[in-house]
Amino acid sequence: MRRILSSDVVNHAGKQVKIRGWLHKKRMLGGLNFINVRDRAGLVQILVEDKDEVEKLRGMQIGTVLSIEGEAAKDDRAPNGMEIHHPKLIIEVPVLDEPPIEIDKPLTHKPDNLDTLFEHRPLGLRNLREAAIFKVQAKVLEAFREYFSANDFTEMNSPKLLAEATEGGAEVFKLDYFGRTATLAQSAQFYKQIMVGVYERVFETNPTYRAEPSATTRHMTEYITIDAEIGFIEFEDLLEHAGACLISVISKTEKDCKKELKAWNTPPFKLPRAAKDIPRYDITEVHEMFARANKENHSDEDDLAPAEERWICEYAKKSHGSEAVFITGWSTKSKTFKFYHRANEKNPELADRADLLFRGVEIATLSMRENRYDKLIAQLKATGGDPTNPGYAPLLSVYKYGMPPHGGWGWGLERTVEKILNLNSVKEATLFPRDMNRLTP
RNA sequence: GGGCUCGUGGUGUAGCUUGGCCUAACACGCCUCCCUGUCACGGAGGAGAUCGCCGGUUCAAAUCCGGUCGGGCCCGCCA
């Protein structure tokens, strides 16, 4: 007999069916026993009455792989009104040891216990509430791809093993490469810019490595960036794309992940319908507003303090009904200005750059890139870079041979999922998180 | 890297302030038995922890002190 999925049992009422999956829960009442079996579609309940069949389950722990043939039966008392009666059980893979972590009840996500959560992650992920996180992540990625596909982007993949770090900024991992030193990519920045010269619009969902000794709820040493780069646009178009992308990602998640969002009790999303209505604030403006409303003052800082990011998102939610905001007005004089960024034509003191904040955390950084070769070289020199460094050669060559105005973003996948589900740490939204202290499992 | 915090059966906690009634309690999970509609099933019984580790104070340490190891939070840095 061919296997059907748990979700399909409902379509076979009165007929013999076969399902396969993992033993997820046992409720042994004596003469009347219920087990739940998990497969990729979810759970199905099986009513086991026959003494010989019940005996097969003795000592079988959660995780036991089962094959079950029985009669699909409608019954209002069963979950979803459907279950399997008169089953014949085959123990495909017996499990005799009890799992070290709960599979069928919610696991704690208290900060003090995250270590245990991650230590037992391979099994903990079988917990439906944990699995829900990564179902959402998969949907979010799908939503990004849908947006990119609908807007003519070409997906690309760039190497993560590099000769040396040139982008600057974050610390880089070094490793032995047949006697030479290689580095792990801390961004796909140069490659996606190069690819604009080929396809105009490109994107990549790629691992990114940062050797920052950061111990926060926002940082990991390896994470997924959704990189996009778009040719023949201006700053306004870039903001429009990022805003529209966020709105479509959130609305797809809202539509396709109802069960998962409910499992995490997430608050309803508040976003404007149109990207142009996402509130924008200059960084100096946020500094001032924050200082007026709070006891702290961060006006002398180049970037927003985490407390300011949280505050401005709350503010925008209350006053504009938007949990997302763009932070603009970044100075070209500060160290946040990188050599490939473009200064504003009308106001060269400011960069054509924005951060996208969502539910209190920075999820993406957007900027226009300087596409004029001479200007790019000048900016590289001005920021302490050496244009003759061979690491810059591939990037500089495409500018020499014609690049249109373009811009793009680096967008943190885990931070986005974290905030969608209202989790407290990026690591909770990462299958197998990597940080300063954790390299396993 | 700086500041602050936490460490008790497989899991989550209580006890620690004010040392002794701790021969370490409770819930989940596990084992045995009872239970014909459970769905966080219920009931009775049971196994399982030298309280992260080392040292000190004391008649007496899970509890106080010092060190050490391992986590976490915030900040800096960044997605």
Side-chain angles (χ1 to χ4, degrees), chain A residues 238-240 242-243 275 278-282 324-328 354-357 366:
Chain A
L238 181 60
L239 292 173
E240 169 72 28
I278 292 176
R280 298 178 193 181
Y281 303 94
D282 275 6
V325 302
F326 282 116
I327 305 298
T328 51
D355 275 6
L356 175 58
L357 273 45
L366 308 68

Side-chain angles (χ1 to χ4, degrees), chain A residues 304-317:
Chain A
L304 289 184
E308 291 178 305
E309 295 181 343
R310 291 186 287 266
W311 183 85
I312 191 65
C313 284
E314 269 306 308
Y315 176 86
K317 182 180 169 186

Side-chain angles (χ1 to χ4, degrees), chain A residues 415-426:
Chain A
R415 283 188 181 182
T416 304
V417 173
E418 173 205 347
K419 287 300 149 189
I420 283 176
L421 289 173
N422 211 26
L423 301 170
N424 295 314
S425 162
V426 265

